[in-house]
Amino acid sequence: MSSHALRTATAAQAENTPPSSWSMKMSSAMSDTLRHSLKRWAVPALPLIILMGLAALLVKIATGFDVQAVMESSVSKPPSLIELSLLFSALSYAALIGYDALALRVVTEKSVPLGQIALGSFTSYAIGHSLGFPLVTAGAVRWRIYGSAGLSLTEVAKLTAVAGLTLWIGMAAVLGLGALLEPQALAALDRFPARLNQGIGVALIAALAVWLLWSRQGGREIGSGEARVRLPGGKAALVQIGLGLIDVSAAAASLWVLLPSQITFGFPAFTAIFAGAIVLAVASHVPAGLGSFEAAVFFACPGVPTAELLSALLIWRFTYTLVPFLLAITLFVTHELRRTDTKLAKAVRRIRRLMLPFVPMALAALTFLGGLVLLTSGALPSDYSRIRALRHLVPLPFAEVSHLVGSTAGVALLILSRGLMRRLESAWILAVIVIGAGMVVSFAKGFDWEEALVLGSVLLLLLTHRPAFYRKAGIFAEPLEPRWHIAIAFIVGCTIWLGFTAFHDVAYSHDLWWQFSWHDDASRFLRSSLVAVIAGAGVSLYAMIHGSAPMHEAEPLNPDVLAPALAHAERSDAYLALLEDKRFLLHEEGDAFLMYAVRGKSWIAMGDPIGNPEHAADLMWRFLEEVDRHDGWPVFYQVSLAYLPLYLDGGLSLVKLGEEARVDLTTFTIEGKAGRDWRAALNRAKRENLEFTIIPAVEVPAHLFKLRGVSDAWLADRNAVEKGFSMGFWSEKYLSRFDVAVVQREGRILAFANIWYGQRSGEITVDLMRHLPHIPGIMDFLFVSLMQEGKCRGYRWFNLGMAPLSGLSGHRLAPSWHKIAAFVARNGENFYGFGGLRAYKEKFGPVWEPRYLACPGGWVLPQILLDVTSLISGSPARSMTREAKS
């Protein structure tokens, strides 16, 4: 078509089209073209324009400034202000950890340990703040750390989105409050009229209020498909705003304390200016906002001396950016070394394994040193330059209380160091808490950052060597030895002498005890010393009164004496009597006995009376009389329903411990649909050339060397230690008394369990079960084979043992113990696996029978439970030592 024809056709079409419709179409087409052009060019041009403007401002500011004056201003900055800036920086990064913790709760149901959350949050933010381009740098760090915790790439991306939303909500809250409260000061940055700034503040606060109301509905989401992100709802949104406020305010405060005195506006206005400068720095896309942030601050602070303001910004870059960046790099590299399979990582792990036996003693010594540092600090005068800064931040009563708490914490650490030497988990937990409190009070009583650094180093070592403290016992499970009393008294006495020496020029008077001011160090020393003496004496007195006596050693066992009673035993676990870690109360007829051990004031009988049931009542009353003579507490552990009336008659209370699983062998089968899983286990074992064999007791000694290898591998794989009293532990003499069921392949033993045979037509069970790691399904094969064997021999039941803390009532009217135990079972899965253990036994279709603890009730129950736990955890070592010597 020619151009003339085209113009003619176009004109004709225009003539046939109504004028209004044609103009609307033309307007729409032009609008779409304009929007496309703006979208194409404005997005990349906006950061460039901002950057050019800030660069011009920096050039203008830098013209003629004195480098020497900046250096002198930086050097003359009081150390206390730098320390305070570091403290506020730490608070800001702590709030950032809350960002990730909140985001994890929103985006995934997976459980991530708090330590991993702290590591992922701190390293990602510190590295992202320094290198810029946080979506790339911080995102990569997050993926390396959270990916190792089981999160997918999509979940990490959603976490980053929710955490970023929290940051911008905090920015909005700070900007809104600052614009609303001090609009004139904010005008120095945005050059808007005060009323317009107030309007912006009102709009931001209103937007946050709308956000809260909108979030209360719950179930709010943005995005679609894999990118769909669930937003915080209800209280989580309020927490989100609070975390954002704390983060931005603390980051602003870390710079605020360094600013020169010529600043005329208040802190609320500065937080808004700070948030605005951060927004400009982000928009400029410069790594760490370097230059752009500084230019915005200069622009908002006209009339302030350039040298002093620049020195404050340089120091802030050190405290808020450089120090966290270096620490984050160190932590990230350490994480990567632990994760990757490099030669260096292998060497580090090898050295750590060699040093692990010496870790408890070394950490105990460092904890003792931490207590000495706290006590010494309380006896010496404070640095007045630090006190001048402190008095503007905390009230005097808080500082006074911090001195008292510091001295008390010092005495506590001296005592806890003993528990750390004994590898006690309880001592580790308390030491972590006390050292953390000591770090806080070190800052609160005088900005003693050196003291806090020492305590923080000890705390970090304790946290990184958590597995070294595994023993379940109380701190005072054994009485304090005299040398510990002497050592604690000596340390407290030396610090008191040091304090009197430091304040020898202060005339003593009774009024000193009641003088409270920022410069009354002598008065604080006197009060702290008195608290230290009272705390040390009180704890020592408590340890002497309540400290548990050592467990009574079991006398050498003569199995022939117990044989008549064992012949009457209906339950197979009566063979726990052969463990050699118990004492015995025999009936005169010789056909019944009680087995027990003593831990502290608790006399703990294992199970019901064994043997002739006609003598059970007589044995129980004799046991109660013996315990009464020794002023102890009678405890019957894991008792059955059969003798509950007997224990109630004895005035004992009943506490449910859990349920025991017993499989009915008369209905157990591997045939049909019911036996499908067990056939699969047997077929899989056959394909893998696994063989099930029972070694008679007389032949067991010849196989002990192989069995010991399996046992050691099992313990090493679980990083576990032997237990006792209510369960078997490795003992060659003990194992040689029983038939042993083994699973082997080509003559190599892969798993074993010693067999307890009860009365004919009664029950059969196993005690000590061990297997090599990483062989799936091997215990299923062992159990199914044993059940088949028991059924062939005429036994009625196969006992799978107890599932602790199971079968407890969840009703609101249930006893308090049920509620506490249920809480422990729900939240202690990572430590013991309560639910997993019951689920494993449940698949065999057992009959569940309750088991109880019969003991005095009331306030002694926690101590009794602690004694039982300590007894089970601590009894094997003595038996094994005796066996090694024999």
mmCIF file of all heavy atoms in Angstrom, residues 379-421:
data_model
loop_
_atom_site.group_PDB
_atom_site.id
_atom_site.type_symbol
_atom_site.label_atom_id
_atom_site.label_comp_id
_atom_site.label_asym_id
_atom_site.label_seq_id
_atom_site.Cartn_x
_atom_site.Cartn_y
_atom_site.Cartn_z
ATOM 1 N N ALA A 379 36.124 -4.970 94.689
ATOM 2 C CA ALA A 379 36.936 -4.452 95.788
ATOM 3 C C ALA A 379 37.796 -3.260 95.391
ATOM 4 O O ALA A 379 38.440 -2.657 96.250
ATOM 5 C CB ALA A 379 37.843 -5.571 96.319
ATOM 6 N N LEU A 380 37.813 -2.906 94.108
ATOM 7 C CA LEU A 380 38.691 -1.823 93.638
ATOM 8 C C LEU A 380 37.872 -0.606 93.234
ATOM 9 O O LEU A 380 36.704 -0.723 92.853
ATOM 10 C CB LEU A 380 39.522 -2.316 92.441
ATOM 11 C CG LEU A 380 40.523 -3.440 92.736
ATOM 12 C CD1 LEU A 380 41.205 -3.882 91.467
ATOM 13 C CD2 LEU A 380 41.545 -3.008 93.780
ATOM 14 N N PRO A 381 38.482 0.587 93.261
ATOM 15 C CA PRO A 381 37.764 1.805 92.851
ATOM 16 C C PRO A 381 37.414 1.757 91.369
ATOM 17 O O PRO A 381 38.092 1.129 90.565
ATOM 18 C CB PRO A 381 38.768 2.929 93.161
ATOM 19 C CG PRO A 381 39.771 2.335 94.092
ATOM 20 C CD PRO A 381 39.839 0.883 93.770
ATOM 21 N N SER A 382 36.365 2.473 91.001
ATOM 22 C CA SER A 382 35.930 2.539 89.612
ATOM 23 C C SER A 382 36.658 3.664 88.880
ATOM 24 O O SER A 382 37.192 4.592 89.492
ATOM 25 C CB SER A 382 34.417 2.779 89.535
ATOM 26 O OG SER A 382 33.709 1.753 90.191
ATOM 27 N N ASP A 383 36.662 3.561 87.558
ATOM 28 C CA ASP A 383 37.237 4.612 86.713
ATOM 29 C C ASP A 383 36.198 5.740 86.606
ATOM 30 O O ASP A 383 35.120 5.561 86.062
ATOM 31 C CB ASP A 383 37.538 4.033 85.325
ATOM 32 C CG ASP A 383 38.249 5.038 84.428
ATOM 33 O OD1 ASP A 383 38.195 6.240 84.734
ATOM 34 O OD2 ASP A 383 38.834 4.619 83.421
ATOM 35 N N TYR A 384 36.553 6.924 87.131
ATOM 36 C CA TYR A 384 35.576 8.020 87.198
ATOM 37 C C TYR A 384 35.162 8.525 85.818
ATOM 38 O O TYR A 384 34.058 9.033 85.639
ATOM 39 C CB TYR A 384 36.139 9.168 88.034
ATOM 40 C CG TYR A 384 36.193 8.854 89.511
ATOM 41 C CD1 TYR A 384 37.203 9.351 90.326
ATOM 42 C CD2 TYR A 384 35.210 8.043 90.094
ATOM 43 C CE1 TYR A 384 37.260 9.044 91.677
ATOM 44 C CE2 TYR A 384 35.255 7.734 91.437
ATOM 45 C CZ TYR A 384 36.284 8.234 92.228
ATOM 46 O OH TYR A 384 36.322 7.919 93.568
ATOM 47 N N SER A 385 36.063 8.415 84.820
ATOM 48 C CA SER A 385 35.665 8.831 83.475
ATOM 49 C C SER A 385 34.540 7.950 82.948
ATOM 50 O O SER A 385 33.649 8.418 82.228
ATOM 51 C CB SER A 385 36.870 8.752 82.527
ATOM 52 O OG SER A 385 37.315 7.413 82.387
ATOM 53 N N ARG A 386 34.541 6.680 83.342
ATOM 54 C CA ARG A 386 33.461 5.778 82.925
ATOM 55 C C ARG A 386 32.197 6.035 83.745
ATOM 56 O O ARG A 386 31.085 5.919 83.226
ATOM 57 C CB ARG A 386 33.902 4.322 83.073
ATOM 58 C CG ARG A 386 35.140 3.986 82.268
ATOM 59 C CD ARG A 386 35.532 2.529 82.423
ATOM 60 N NE ARG A 386 36.763 2.239 81.687
ATOM 61 C CZ ARG A 386 37.262 1.017 81.550
ATOM 62 N NH1 ARG A 386 36.649 -0.011 82.094
ATOM 63 N NH2 ARG A 386 38.384 0.833 80.863
ATOM 64 N N ILE A 387 32.380 6.369 85.004
ATOM 65 C CA ILE A 387 31.217 6.659 85.849
ATOM 66 C C ILE A 387 30.467 7.874 85.326
ATOM 67 O O ILE A 387 29.230 7.924 85.366
ATOM 68 C CB ILE A 387 31.667 6.879 87.307
ATOM 69 C CG1 ILE A 387 32.159 5.561 87.908
ATOM 70 C CG2 ILE A 387 30.525 7.430 88.146
ATOM 71 C CD1 ILE A 387 31.086 4.499 88.042
ATOM 72 N N ARG A 388 31.223 8.866 84.811
ATOM 73 C CA ARG A 388 30.558 10.064 84.285
ATOM 74 C C ARG A 388 29.644 9.718 83.115
ATOM 75 O O ARG A 388 28.561 10.295 82.956
ATOM 76 C CB ARG A 388 31.617 11.087 83.846
ATOM 77 C CG ARG A 388 32.248 11.853 84.994
ATOM 78 C CD ARG A 388 33.003 13.073 84.495
ATOM 79 N NE ARG A 388 34.112 12.705 83.620
ATOM 80 C CZ ARG A 388 35.354 12.451 84.055
ATOM 81 N NH1 ARG A 388 35.622 12.518 85.348
ATOM 82 N NH2 ARG A 388 36.309 12.149 83.207
ATOM 83 N N ALA A 389 30.072 8.793 82.287
ATOM 84 C CA ALA A 389 29.208 8.365 81.177
ATOM 85 C C ALA A 389 28.067 7.490 81.668
ATOM 86 O O ALA A 389 26.937 7.572 81.168
ATOM 87 C CB ALA A 389 30.042 7.609 80.145
ATOM 88 N N LEU A 390 28.349 6.654 82.662
ATOM 89 C CA LEU A 390 27.335 5.724 83.151
ATOM 90 C C LEU A 390 26.161 6.442 83.796
ATOM 91 O O LEU A 390 25.002 6.026 83.629
ATOM 92 C CB LEU A 390 27.983 4.764 84.173
ATOM 93 C CG LEU A 390 27.070 3.721 84.808
ATOM 94 C CD1 LEU A 390 26.616 2.722 83.747
ATOM 95 C CD2 LEU A 390 27.780 2.997 85.945
ATOM 96 N N ARG A 391 26.425 7.530 84.510
ATOM 97 C CA ARG A 391 25.368 8.185 85.267
ATOM 98 C C ARG A 391 24.302 8.794 84.365
ATOM 99 O O ARG A 391 23.194 9.076 84.814
ATOM 100 C CB ARG A 391 25.967 9.256 86.178
ATOM 101 C CG ARG A 391 26.639 10.393 85.424
ATOM 102 C CD ARG A 391 27.453 11.267 86.365
ATOM 103 N NE ARG A 391 26.634 11.783 87.447
ATOM 104 C CZ ARG A 391 27.119 12.438 88.506
ATOM 105 N NH1 ARG A 391 28.423 12.612 88.608
ATOM 106 N NH2 ARG A 391 26.317 12.900 89.438
ATOM 107 N N HIS A 392 24.614 8.973 83.083
ATOM 108 C CA HIS A 392 23.620 9.505 82.152
ATOM 109 C C HIS A 392 22.749 8.408 81.542
ATOM 110 O O HIS A 392 21.802 8.709 80.815
ATOM 111 C CB HIS A 392 24.316 10.279 81.020
ATOM 112 C CG HIS A 392 25.065 11.482 81.497
ATOM 113 N ND1 HIS A 392 24.435 12.595 82.020
ATOM 114 C CD2 HIS A 392 26.404 11.735 81.549
ATOM 115 C CE1 HIS A 392 25.346 13.494 82.359
ATOM 116 N NE2 HIS A 392 26.552 12.997 82.086
ATOM 117 N N LEU A 393 23.073 7.163 81.812
ATOM 118 C CA LEU A 393 22.349 6.058 81.169
ATOM 119 C C LEU A 393 21.547 5.200 82.139
ATOM 120 O O LEU A 393 20.491 4.693 81.781
ATOM 121 C CB LEU A 393 23.343 5.158 80.418
ATOM 122 C CG LEU A 393 24.041 5.799 79.218
ATOM 123 C CD1 LEU A 393 25.105 4.878 78.667
ATOM 124 C CD2 LEU A 393 23.022 6.110 78.130
ATOM 125 N N VAL A 394 22.063 4.986 83.319
ATOM 126 C CA VAL A 394 21.370 4.118 84.271
ATOM 127 C C VAL A 394 21.204 4.865 85.590
ATOM 128 O O VAL A 394 22.043 5.697 85.951
ATOM 129 C CB VAL A 394 22.131 2.795 84.505
ATOM 130 C CG1 VAL A 394 22.263 2.013 83.219
ATOM 131 C CG2 VAL A 394 23.509 3.057 85.107
ATOM 132 N N PRO A 395 20.160 4.576 86.334
ATOM 133 C CA PRO A 395 19.985 5.217 87.645
ATOM 134 C C PRO A 395 20.975 4.662 88.663
ATOM 135 O O PRO A 395 21.476 3.542 88.523
ATOM 136 C CB PRO A 395 18.532 4.867 88.008
ATOM 137 C CG PRO A 395 18.223 3.636 87.231
ATOM 138 C CD PRO A 395 19.015 3.727 85.961
ATOM 139 N N LEU A 396 21.234 5.445 89.690
ATOM 140 C CA LEU A 396 22.180 5.041 90.728
ATOM 141 C C LEU A 396 21.786 3.732 91.414
ATOM 142 O O LEU A 396 22.647 2.870 91.627
ATOM 143 C CB LEU A 396 22.327 6.174 91.759
ATOM 144 C CG LEU A 396 23.244 5.873 92.956
ATOM 145 C CD1 LEU A 396 24.650 5.559 92.506
ATOM 146 C CD2 LEU A 396 23.228 7.046 93.939
ATOM 147 N N PRO A 397 20.495 3.516 91.783
ATOM 148 C CA PRO A 397 20.144 2.237 92.427
ATOM 149 C C PRO A 397 20.502 1.026 91.574
ATOM 150 O O PRO A 397 20.921 -0.010 92.101
ATOM 151 C CB PRO A 397 18.629 2.353 92.639
ATOM 152 C CG PRO A 397 18.360 3.812 92.691
ATOM 153 C CD PRO A 397 19.333 4.435 91.749
ATOM 154 N N PHE A 398 20.368 1.154 90.251
ATOM 155 C CA PHE A 398 20.702 0.036 89.373
ATOM 156 C C PHE A 398 22.197 -0.269 89.445
ATOM 157 O O PHE A 398 22.612 -1.447 89.473
ATOM 158 C CB PHE A 398 20.302 0.367 87.943
ATOM 159 C CG PHE A 398 20.422 -0.777 86.995
ATOM 160 C CD1 PHE A 398 19.424 -1.733 86.898
ATOM 161 C CD2 PHE A 398 21.550 -0.910 86.193
ATOM 162 C CE1 PHE A 398 19.554 -2.795 86.022
ATOM 163 C CE2 PHE A 398 21.685 -1.962 85.318
ATOM 164 C CZ PHE A 398 20.677 -2.912 85.237
ATOM 165 N N ALA A 399 23.015 0.764 89.462
ATOM 166 C CA ALA A 399 24.462 0.563 89.577
ATOM 167 C C ALA A 399 24.835 -0.051 90.920
ATOM 168 O O ALA A 399 25.709 -0.925 91.003
ATOM 169 C CB ALA A 399 25.191 1.883 89.362
ATOM 170 N N GLU A 400 24.168 0.408 91.988
ATOM 171 C CA GLU A 400 24.453 -0.148 93.310
ATOM 172 C C GLU A 400 24.103 -1.628 93.374
ATOM 173 O O GLU A 400 24.872 -2.450 93.884
ATOM 174 C CB GLU A 400 23.658 0.626 94.378
ATOM 175 C CG GLU A 400 24.049 2.088 94.533
ATOM 176 C CD GLU A 400 25.359 2.264 95.280
ATOM 177 O OE1 GLU A 400 25.932 1.251 95.735
ATOM 178 O OE2 GLU A 400 25.827 3.416 95.397
ATOM 179 N N VAL A 401 22.939 -1.977 92.853
ATOM 180 C CA VAL A 401 22.522 -3.382 92.853
ATOM 181 C C VAL A 401 23.470 -4.214 91.998
ATOM 182 O O VAL A 401 23.776 -5.374 92.325
ATOM 183 C CB VAL A 401 21.064 -3.509 92.363
ATOM 184 C CG1 VAL A 401 20.687 -4.965 92.151
ATOM 185 C CG2 VAL A 401 20.114 -2.858 93.350
ATOM 186 N N SER A 402 23.973 -3.644 90.911
ATOM 187 C CA SER A 402 24.882 -4.375 90.039
ATOM 188 C C SER A 402 26.159 -4.752 90.780
ATOM 189 O O SER A 402 26.718 -5.845 90.562
ATOM 190 C CB SER A 402 25.216 -3.530 88.804
ATOM 191 O OG SER A 402 24.054 -3.297 88.030
ATOM 192 N N HIS A 403 26.642 -3.884 91.658
ATOM 193 C CA HIS A 403 27.819 -4.222 92.463
ATOM 194 C C HIS A 403 27.538 -5.427 93.352
ATOM 195 O O HIS A 403 28.369 -6.344 93.459
ATOM 196 C CB HIS A 403 28.228 -3.019 93.325
ATOM 197 C CG HIS A 403 29.132 -2.061 92.624
ATOM 198 N ND1 HIS A 403 30.501 -2.149 92.664
ATOM 199 C CD2 HIS A 403 28.853 -0.994 91.832
ATOM 200 C CE1 HIS A 403 31.032 -1.174 91.955
ATOM 201 N NE2 HIS A 403 30.054 -0.456 91.435
ATOM 202 N N LEU A 404 26.372 -5.443 93.991
ATOM 203 C CA LEU A 404 26.034 -6.562 94.867
ATOM 204 C C LEU A 404 25.868 -7.851 94.075
ATOM 205 O O LEU A 404 26.344 -8.916 94.491
ATOM 206 C CB LEU A 404 24.743 -6.240 95.638
ATOM 207 C CG LEU A 404 24.766 -4.969 96.494
ATOM 208 C CD1 LEU A 404 23.428 -4.776 97.194
ATOM 209 C CD2 LEU A 404 25.893 -5.021 97.520
ATOM 210 N N VAL A 405 25.204 -7.748 92.920
ATOM 211 C CA VAL A 405 25.014 -8.935 92.084
ATOM 212 C C VAL A 405 26.356 -9.458 91.573
ATOM 213 O O VAL A 405 26.579 -10.670 91.502
ATOM 214 C CB VAL A 405 24.076 -8.614 90.909
ATOM 215 C CG1 VAL A 405 24.003 -9.782 89.934
ATOM 216 C CG2 VAL A 405 22.680 -8.290 91.411
ATOM 217 N N GLY A 406 27.254 -8.538 91.224
ATOM 218 C CA GLY A 406 28.565 -8.951 90.741
ATOM 219 C C GLY A 406 29.336 -9.749 91.777
ATOM 220 O O GLY A 406 29.948 -10.773 91.459
ATOM 221 N N SER A 407 29.308 -9.317 93.025
ATOM 222 C CA SER A 407 30.012 -10.052 94.082
ATOM 223 C C SER A 407 29.369 -11.406 94.337
ATOM 224 O O SER A 407 30.056 -12.411 94.534
ATOM 225 C CB SER A 407 30.029 -9.219 95.365
ATOM 226 O OG SER A 407 30.749 -8.015 95.177
ATOM 227 N N THR A 408 28.029 -11.442 94.326
ATOM 228 C CA THR A 408 27.335 -12.720 94.506
ATOM 229 C C THR A 408 27.662 -13.675 93.365
ATOM 230 O O THR A 408 27.901 -14.875 93.588
ATOM 231 C CB THR A 408 25.816 -12.493 94.568
ATOM 232 O OG1 THR A 408 25.527 -11.529 95.584
ATOM 233 C CG2 THR A 408 25.085 -13.782 94.869
ATOM 234 N N ALA A 409 27.676 -13.161 92.135
ATOM 235 C CA ALA A 409 28.016 -13.998 90.982
ATOM 236 C C ALA A 409 29.450 -14.505 91.086
ATOM 237 O O ALA A 409 29.749 -15.644 90.700
ATOM 238 C CB ALA A 409 27.827 -13.208 89.691
ATOM 239 N N GLY A 410 30.353 -13.685 91.623
ATOM 240 C CA GLY A 410 31.731 -14.127 91.793
ATOM 241 C C GLY A 410 31.838 -15.317 92.722
ATOM 242 O O GLY A 410 32.530 -16.301 92.423
ATOM 243 N N VAL A 411 31.141 -15.269 93.853
ATOM 244 C CA VAL A 411 31.148 -16.404 94.780
ATOM 245 C C VAL A 411 30.509 -17.632 94.127
ATOM 246 O O VAL A 411 30.994 -18.765 94.266
ATOM 247 C CB VAL A 411 30.405 -16.032 96.081
ATOM 248 C CG1 VAL A 411 30.280 -17.239 96.998
ATOM 249 C CG2 VAL A 411 31.133 -14.906 96.804
ATOM 250 N N ALA A 412 29.417 -17.417 93.399
ATOM 251 C CA ALA A 412 28.736 -18.540 92.742
ATOM 252 C C ALA A 412 29.658 -19.226 91.740
ATOM 253 O O ALA A 412 29.673 -20.471 91.643
ATOM 254 C CB ALA A 412 27.471 -18.042 92.049
ATOM 255 N N LEU A 413 30.447 -18.458 90.992
ATOM 256 C CA LEU A 413 31.351 -19.069 90.015
ATOM 257 C C LEU A 413 32.456 -19.871 90.692
ATOM 258 O O LEU A 413 32.891 -20.906 90.167
ATOM 259 C CB LEU A 413 31.966 -17.986 89.125
ATOM 260 C CG LEU A 413 30.999 -17.295 88.148
ATOM 261 C CD1 LEU A 413 31.737 -16.241 87.326
ATOM 262 C CD2 LEU A 413 30.352 -18.317 87.231
ATOM 263 N N LEU A 414 32.920 -19.416 91.859
ATOM 264 C CA LEU A 414 33.909 -20.207 92.597
ATOM 265 C C LEU A 414 33.352 -21.582 92.939
ATOM 266 O O LEU A 414 34.053 -22.607 92.851
ATOM 267 C CB LEU A 414 34.322 -19.481 93.876
ATOM 268 C CG LEU A 414 34.993 -18.108 93.735
ATOM 269 C CD1 LEU A 414 35.345 -17.548 95.108
ATOM 270 C CD2 LEU A 414 36.235 -18.195 92.864
ATOM 271 N N ILE A 415 32.094 -21.628 93.332
ATOM 272 C CA ILE A 415 31.476 -22.904 93.716
ATOM 273 C C ILE A 415 31.140 -23.746 92.492
ATOM 274 O O ILE A 415 31.341 -24.965 92.475
ATOM 275 C CB ILE A 415 30.221 -22.634 94.564
ATOM 276 C CG1 ILE A 415 30.618 -21.919 95.861
ATOM 277 C CG2 ILE A 415 29.476 -23.921 94.873
ATOM 278 C CD1 ILE A 415 29.453 -21.379 96.649
ATOM 279 N N LEU A 416 30.648 -23.096 91.432
ATOM 280 C CA LEU A 416 30.261 -23.844 90.233
ATOM 281 C C LEU A 416 31.460 -24.465 89.530
ATOM 282 O O LEU A 416 31.300 -25.462 88.809
ATOM 283 C CB LEU A 416 29.525 -22.922 89.262
ATOM 284 C CG LEU A 416 28.123 -22.483 89.697
ATOM 285 C CD1 LEU A 416 27.582 -21.427 88.746
ATOM 286 C CD2 LEU A 416 27.181 -23.675 89.744
ATOM 287 N N SER A 417 32.642 -23.897 89.708
ATOM 288 C CA SER A 417 33.823 -24.473 89.060
ATOM 289 C C SER A 417 34.054 -25.909 89.524
ATOM 290 O O SER A 417 34.537 -26.745 88.754
ATOM 291 C CB SER A 417 35.051 -23.606 89.345
ATOM 292 O OG SER A 417 35.313 -23.538 90.743
ATOM 293 N N ARG A 418 33.675 -26.219 90.753
ATOM 294 C CA ARG A 418 33.803 -27.607 91.230
ATOM 295 C C ARG A 418 32.886 -28.533 90.450
ATOM 296 O O ARG A 418 33.274 -29.641 90.064
ATOM 297 C CB ARG A 418 33.462 -27.669 92.722
ATOM 298 C CG ARG A 418 33.360 -29.085 93.282
ATOM 299 C CD ARG A 418 32.963 -29.021 94.746
ATOM 300 N NE ARG A 418 32.755 -30.344 95.311
ATOM 301 C CZ ARG A 418 31.578 -30.952 95.366
ATOM 302 N NH1 ARG A 418 30.508 -30.368 94.840
ATOM 303 N NH2 ARG A 418 31.462 -32.142 95.915
ATOM 304 N N GLY A 419 31.642 -28.092 90.229
ATOM 305 C CA GLY A 419 30.722 -28.910 89.450
ATOM 306 C C GLY A 419 31.189 -29.100 88.018
ATOM 307 O O GLY A 419 30.983 -30.159 87.420
ATOM 308 N N LEU A 420 31.838 -28.074 87.438
ATOM 309 C CA LEU A 420 32.362 -28.220 86.083
ATOM 310 C C LEU A 420 33.491 -29.242 86.044
ATOM 311 O O LEU A 420 33.628 -29.979 85.054
ATOM 312 C CB LEU A 420 32.853 -26.864 85.567
ATOM 313 C CG LEU A 420 31.776 -25.793 85.360
ATOM 314 C CD1 LEU A 420 32.417 -24.477 84.944
ATOM 315 C CD2 LEU A 420 30.756 -26.241 84.318
ATOM 316 N N MET A 421 34.300 -29.307 87.070
ATOM 317 C CA MET A 421 35.351 -30.313 87.115
ATOM 318 C C MET A 421 34.769 -31.715 87.115
ATOM 319 O O MET A 421 35.365 -32.654 86.562
ATOM 320 C CB MET A 421 36.219 -30.110 88.363
ATOM 321 C CG MET A 421 37.145 -28.917 88.307
ATOM 322 S SD MET A 421 38.252 -28.834 89.728
ATOM 323 C CE MET A 421 39.236 -30.296 89.464
#
